[in-house]
Amino acid sequence: EVPYSDELCFVIRLPANERSVVAGSFDILDELPNDSIRVYLMNTNLFHLWKSPIGSSEGTFSVIQPPGRVSLCVQNGLLGDAKDSSSSSSSS
């Protein structure tokens, strides 16, 4: 659970010396209104690699990244934007 005005992030380490596909999906299972929820992937430079539309209850993502780390984050009520680094976004 992510309380309102908070976010929860998971760091994903990518293999060294090669590009990686970071792909997955999310589904908000709670029956509460989700109009303040956003899920996003962010690189170490704080650039959004992918972000869901605000209020989406489910979505999928897939990005190709160089070695390093990315963060998968869920925001609830913190809808300010980090910098967008690409236009590669897709959601369901």
Side-chain angles (χ1 to χ4, degrees):
E1 183 175 324
V2 181
Y4 189 79
S5 296
D6 206 355
E7 73 180 342
L8 178 64
C9 294
F10 301 91
V11 175
I12 302 167
R13 289 183 182 205
L14 305 177
N17 304 319
E18 61 185 276
R19 294 175 69 79
S20 299
V21 175
V22 180
S25 62
F26 72 93
D27 191 357
I28 306 296
L29 301 176
D30 204 337
E31 295 297 322
L32 297 173
N34 61 350
D35 59 345
S36 62
I37 300 291
R38 173 174 276 165
V39 178
Y40 64 93
L41 279 172
M42 182 172 58
N43 67 15
T44 55
N45 293 324
L46 305 179
F47 284 91
H48 280 153
L49 305 170
W50 174 88
K51 61 184 173 183
S52 68
I54 296 169
S56 291
S57 62
E58 61 184 24
T60 59
F61 55 88
S62 180
V63 298
I64 299 173
Q65 286 297 291
R69 297 179 185 180
V70 296
S71 295
L72 175 63
C73 300
V74 179
Q75 289 183 331
N76 185 2
L78 300 172
L79 300 179
D81 284 336
K83 299 169 268 183
D84 288 320
S85 66
S86 73
S87 58
S88 64
S89 64
S90 63
S91 64
S92 331

